[in-house]
């Protein structure tokens, strides 16, 4: 059984928007830093954004700053990634994860992972 479940991926044109959701159980979410990662075909998984337990700290990869916004609703055990002004290079499978590291910690600090949701941006 998946610990985290992503949804909201799809196919959009460049310049469009998508909102990804990550649904979790309280056990795998409420006390943990949340993060989004992505992996494009033929490339390694890379960090996208992270948010602290209470949502007061965030961190973004340079290539999404000003376009993507990470948020969380601890009452719903859900994390979000609002993606605006999407570009073809944003095409990837997007994964959510939770762990005990800070918002600048690497992927190795994340314990729980989702299965991923495909995001495809057409030019």
């Amino acid at each position: 059984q998946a610990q985290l479940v992503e949804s909201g991926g799809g196919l959009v044109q460049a310049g469009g928007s998508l909102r990804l959701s990550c649904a979790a159980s309280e056990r795998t979410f409420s006390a943990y830093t949340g993060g989004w990662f992505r992996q494009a075909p033929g490339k390694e998984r890379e960090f996208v954004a992270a948010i602290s337990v209470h949502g007061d700290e965030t961190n973004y990869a340079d290539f999404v700053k000003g376009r993507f916004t990470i948020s969380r609703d601890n009452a719903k055990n859900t994390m979000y990634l609002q993606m605006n002004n999407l570009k073809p290079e944003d095409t990837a499978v997007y994964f959510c994860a939770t762990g005990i590291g800070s918002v600048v910690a690497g992927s190795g600090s994340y314990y729980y992972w989702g299965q991923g949701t495909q995001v495809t941006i057409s030019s």
Side-chain angles (χ1 to χ4, degrees):
Q1 183 175 358
Q3 306 282 4
L4 307 175
V5 180
E6 303 93 339
S7 61
L11 171 65
V12 298
Q13 290 186 331
S17 299
L18 283 173
R19 188 194 195 201
L20 305 184
S21 297
C22 174
S25 67
E26 181 177 4
R27 180 178 67 84
T28 61
F29 184 79
S30 62
Y32 295 102
T33 295
W36 286 96
F37 296 79
R38 71 185 188 185
Q39 186 167 19
K43 295 187 177 181
E44 294 187 352
R45 184 175 59 192
E46 61 182 357
F47 169 78
V48 175
I51 187 167
S52 59
V53 172
H54 299 294
D56 53 338
E57 292 183 76
T58 58
N59 183 36
Y60 295 92
D62 287 343
F63 53 79
V64 302
K65 284 182 179 177
R67 299 189 299 126
F68 291 10
T69 302
I70 189 172
S71 62
R72 66 190 293 163
D73 185 338
N74 287 344
K76 296 181 179 179
N77 294 318
T78 302
M79 181 170 62
Y80 305 96
L81 185 68
Q82 177 67 44
M83 306 187 295
N84 298 327
N85 191 22
L86 284 160
K87 304 175 181 180
E89 51 264 42
D90 293 320
T91 295
V93 177
Y94 284 71
F95 300 89
C96 64
T98 58
I100 63 168
S102 73
V103 295
V104 296
S107 61
S109 68
Y110 288 84
Y111 292 159
Y112 303 107
W113 290 83
Q115 297 297 308
T117 185
Q118 177 69 48
V119 171
T120 304
I121 312 303
S122 63
S123 58

